[in-house]
Amino acid sequence: MARNKIALIGSGMIGGTLAHIAAQKELGDVVLFDIAEGIPEGKGLDIAQSAPVDGYDSRLKGTQDYKDIEGADVCIVTAGVPRKPGMSRDDLVEINLKVMKSVGEGIAKYAPNAFVICITNPLDAMVWALQKFSGLPTNKVVGMAGILDSSRFRMFLAEEFNVSVESVTAFVLGGHGDTMVPSLRYSTVAGVSLPDMVKLGWTTQEKLDAIVDRTRKGGGEIVGLLKTGSAYYAPAASAIQMAESYLKDKKVVVPCAAYLDGEFGVNDRYVGVPIVIGEEGAERILEIEFTEEEKQMFEHSVAAVEDLVEACKKIDPSLA
Ligand code: LMR
């Protein structure tokens, strides 16, 4: 049986963490790509040397040559620059758009059948541009953000209720920016919605509002603490869940930046919505219904994505 091949485009902190988790889970053989000579080779070798102790058989290779990603089943893209304290994700649009162009061309040439997961910020615009630059089918190119934002939301909620994180489900929808929409109605503790948890006296609306606000600023909180870059453990774990669901046809239902072709009233844009991930990639969109208030928040978030896409088109007219 052929082993799966996972190409990690970008070998910084998220790329290295992705390689480690993918190898430990034996999702396949791992290729770490980066333009910085020595980094992917060093990280690949280091992780490979932990394999005898941990007992896994993934092979790891570091490279600066796109040819080495040839035939990859999954490509996870973290290439580009992370933000620093004081910056917004949107400040990265110009510099990271250029990176998406060369990554898209590399994937189109060597791994046109891959399932592509984009992590580079500003996420919703970068995954849109990456799909255009690569020309891959829209169901095979998705953005990782909703799982990360929802995981942050779940963690904060579990802390508030003093329950296991496993008992908390959450959906954070919309764009991966300050306008994201953590949904109270579609988030639960063991199936009980958050408005009902307020009614049951387990929390207050004020506390939930503070958790929503902290979730929206979750990435910035980590950037402020790390000072030299942005989060990597939780983003890597989130992308691995997506890759695993694709490779094993698990069909998990998770919020991701998916291509909308009329769903939710949005056309030709990537926005965070619940999708099923299976062997066909983004197989199906769960088109949940919004209240009037939720609809307004979602539309506000889509408008922020729209602005970034327009900025991309101005920077690179080939996208217009
Ligand atoms: C995150 O949410 O952790 C990432 O989008 C990185 C960032 O800049 O916040």
Side-chain angles (χ1 to χ4, degrees), residues 144-162:
M144 184 297 296
I147 302 180
L148 169 64
D149 298 323
S150 303
S151 185
R152 288 183 175 138
F153 196 28
R154 289 171 67 190
M155 187 236 134
F156 299 147
L157 289 168
E159 226 173 41
E160 163 65 8
F161 295 121
N162 193 21

Side-chain angles (χ1 to χ4, degrees), residues 55-89:
Y56 50 81
D57 276 311
S58 296
R59 296 183 200 112
L60 292 111
K61 179 182 172 71
T63 184
Q64 279 78 51
D65 188 349
Y66 271 112
K67 197 170 181 336
D68 289 320
I69 73 163
E70 191 155 26
D73 300 284
V74 171
C75 293
I76 307 181
V77 178
T78 59
V81 179
R83 63 173 160 155
K84 301 249 166 51
M87 293 172 77
S88 107
R89 296 181 183 94

